[in-house]
Amino acid sequence: MTESELILSLRQHLRNEHPLLVKGIGDDAAVWNWDDKYYALLSVDTLHEHWDFDRVYHAPVYIGYKAATSAISDICAMNGEALFLTVSIGIPRGFPSGYIEEIYKGIRRVEDKYNVTVIGGDISPARDLWLSIAVIGRVERERITYRQGARPKDLVCVTGDLGGAYAGLKILQREKAVFLQNPSVQPDVSEFTYIISRQLKPEARCDMVARLRELNVLPTSMIDLSDGLAAGVHALSKASGYGMHLYLDRLPFHEQTKRVAELYDMPLTAFLLYGGEEYELLFTVPLSDYEKLKSEPQIHVIGYVREDGQVLLEDPFGTAEPIQELSWDSWKGEKASAVSPSSE
Amino acid sequence: MTESELILSLRQHLRNEHPLLVKGIGDDAAVWNWDDKYYALLSVDTLHEHWDFDRVYHAPVYIGYKAATSAISDICAMNGEALFLTVSIGIPRGFPSGYIEEIYKGIRRVEDKYNVTVIGGDISPARDLWLSIAVIGRVERERITYRQGARPKDLVCVTGDLGGAYAGLKILQREKAVFLQNPSVQPDVSEFTYIISRQLKPEARCDMVARLRELNVLPTSMIDLSDGLAAGVHALSKASGYGMHLYLDRLPFHEQTKRVAELYDMPLTAFLLYGGEEYELLFTVPLSDYEKLKSEPQIHVIGYVREDGQVLLEDPFGTAEPIQELSWDSWKGEKASAVSPSSE
């Protein structure tokens, strides 16, 4: 069972309604009435040692940075603006205080860069290090964007490039293995600095939310790619009831990602479809917005919304195959099996 | 270093300001502008296996219940109304799904009893079971109550009774030890059902927030007693800059709590001052409100605010001694040492 399947199964035990609530469990963030102009948004995201980061190569300042930006990303996915964070942290016994301070310095960098403020939190003793960050945001009522809402013939767009965070992880894991065998070897990762920063210090695409507003483009549906492109297109398809048709040669990637795929003799497509932790935005827009978007260097039109429910990837030879519904967690394997409860 | 000291030391690395923010880190909940009538409130609270609960005697339905009510209690302490919850949960690998469902059934009971709604959350793999619950609430602007605000001669009041949750824990720990030695022995806790329910299924005092409104009483300061009475009076004293004078014979306790103190040959005063996890409210009111409160069975006037900064407890013989500033976490010992970072 994946995390989202488990959440949906647990959801049936809950109430799921409130007079002030607009949208509860099931989108990137929950939505309720703030005032006449705004909806309030709330999302929470957790990073856990061993599953989400490795202290050997994730320096504490980056752990704090990534925990905060990954949580903010969910507010961007609603086309909203992040305002406040709370930071809950589990700290193993005897952990040096300087390490915890470094984590908070990373969060401070996010405060400054994203204009957000930590307003609370708590600290628990724990066996492993973990951070759970809740984000409060808001969005003008007429600009809210859900996972639901794509219509046939809408264009499917993605920001930035794909697969880099996973490619960076592969390099970091390789360097860790080398280090463990021979600690005197200095790692040389100079040819992979871009993808390593994608893994260690990902950014939420609040800049893209602002850019869409400047361009006067209102997406019909949106999600962030924390679980990878394949999971994203399936989520938007299910929410809208329509399918999606992507073109392989339109999927954006960095040269370093391609080099890692070659290095490991793995298909580049796997990196682009299943690599997660990217926090790029996947969204749909009406066909009529094409002129506004076609010259944007950070926005790529990668396909269109199909009237039937099929989710397909077409290769450059014109062959379209179904995109497997597989999330980053399942791809990574370990994390998925860890949340899968055994039968009693 | 206690949790609150660590939070204050980490706070200096953070920004602590935002145009919409009214009150950030440092009270029971953060406060920001909702609309002309209300402030919004946000608090987060974590329960962690081994430190905050023991799966041997905390059934999963109670773990969910307690995690939610302890988080809601922080909203009550601001004189507010809880609205929404998010539930982040860390689940050990291979945990039975039925167990997790029971936790959510406990949370569902809280939804119904407190008229709150879970609107989001996430699930992480973890080595130990933990729950971190964020609560969104609101309070009418003119009724917000901070830790700060007590004035000399104000009355110090407490709801319910004190020390019961700790007394219940002592009995549960005793029964666990008996069970581990001889699993065939049936525990007999029939004479301690009240204090055991205080430990396993604590309630947030939203009923007292409503009652104060009915009585037209607006506290000058308030805090919840999750860290015990001693920590509570010291926190209200520090925030106001004044002291407090409590009378030992006014402190409310249940007969079963007294019996446990006798059973363990411990001073009852220790249970009343340092027992935590109670979620009773400690607050101050102007002397002129005495008539409104004196007949309330659930509200006890236990002392007054001193002009000097001393925090004293007076025994029935007229001897007043300083109340040691010691929180429930320190009292419990293990938890406090676990969050105490060693020097690097």
Side-chain angles (χ1 to χ4, degrees), chain A residues 1 3 6-7 9-21 23-26 29-35 42-52 82-101 104-105 107-108 111-112 114-128 130 132 134 136 138 334-335 337-344, chain B residues 1 3 6-7 9-21 23-26 29-35 42-52 82-101 104-105 107-108 111-112 114-128 130 132 134 136 138 334-335 337-344:
Chain A
M1 207 186 283
E3 182 194 335
L6 184 54
I7 286 173
S9 111
L10 292 170
R11 186 189 164 180
Q12 67 187 331
H13 296 290
L14 297 170
R15 209 173 176 217
N16 299 309
E17 52 181 17
H18 191 285
L20 287 169
L21 190 65
K23 178 101 190 176
I25 298 166
V31 184
W32 73 93
N33 291 315
W34 178 301
D35 61 15
L42 175 62
S43 182
V44 58
D45 204 43
T46 303
L47 294 192
H48 199 290
E49 188 176 357
H50 307 309
W51 288 280
D52 298 303
L83 301 171
F84 304 122
L85 311 179
T86 63
V87 180
S88 294
I89 183 165
I91 305 179
R93 190 189 293 265
F95 231 58
S97 60
Y99 192 95
I100 309 298
E101 278 171 20
Y104 276 76
K105 284 180 192 167
I107 294 169
R108 171 60 195 253
E111 288 190 315
D112 290 335
Y114 290 88
N115 192 26
V116 296
T117 301
V118 175
I119 61 172
D122 71 350
I123 297 173
S124 299
R127 269 209 292 178
D128 296 315
W130 57 262
S132 186
I136 295 281
R138 65 177 179 182
E334 188 181 10
K335 179 164 177 172
S337 68
V339 299
S340 171
S342 65
S343 57
E344 274 182 298
Chain B
M1 207 185 285
E3 184 194 337
L6 184 55
I7 287 173
S9 111
L10 291 170
R11 187 189 163 181
Q12 66 187 330
H13 296 291
L14 297 170
R15 211 174 175 216
N16 300 308
E17 52 180 18
H18 191 284
L20 288 168
L21 190 64
K23 178 100 189 175
I25 297 166
V31 185
W32 72 92
N33 292 314
W34 179 300
D35 61 16
L42 174 62
S43 183
V44 58
D45 204 43
T46 303
L47 294 191
H48 199 289
E49 187 176 0
H50 307 309
W51 287 279
D52 299 303
L83 301 170
F84 304 123
L85 312 179
T86 64
V87 180
S88 294
I89 185 165
I91 305 178
R93 188 190 294 265
F95 232 58
S97 60
Y99 192 94
I100 308 298
E101 278 171 19
Y104 277 76
K105 283 180 191 166
I107 295 169
R108 171 58 194 254
E111 287 190 315
D112 290 338
Y114 290 87
N115 193 25
V116 295
T117 301
V118 175
I119 60 172
D122 71 350
I123 297 173
S124 299
R127 269 208 293 177
D128 296 314
W130 57 262
S132 186
I136 295 282
R138 66 177 178 182
E334 188 181 10
K335 179 164 178 175
S337 68
V339 297
S340 170
S342 64
S343 56
E344 271 181 303

Side-chain angles (χ1 to χ4, degrees), chain A residues 54-66:
Chain A
D54 185 325
R55 284 198 274 128
V56 171
Y57 44 77
H58 287 97
V61 69
Y62 292 136
I63 294 171
Y65 197 93
K66 185 172 185 167

Side-chain angles (χ1 to χ4, degrees), chain A residues 55 62 64 75 107 177 230 312 315 323 332 340:
Chain A
R55 284 198 274 128
Y62 292 136
I75 301 297
I107 294 169
L312 304 177
D315 70 19
I323 296 175
K332 229 179 7 171
S340 171

Side-chain angles (χ1 to χ4, degrees), chain A residues 270-300:
Chain A
F271 284 76
L272 307 186
L273 288 178
Y274 305 116
E277 301 182 277
E278 303 231 86
Y279 313 112
E280 296 296 340
L281 296 172
L282 176 75
F283 58 94
T284 55
V285 295
L287 192 55
S288 54
D289 281 335
Y290 179 69
E291 287 300 315
K292 296 179 190 168
L293 296 176
K294 68 176 187 186
S295 312
E296 287 297 310
Q298 287 286 307
I299 297 175
H300 312 278

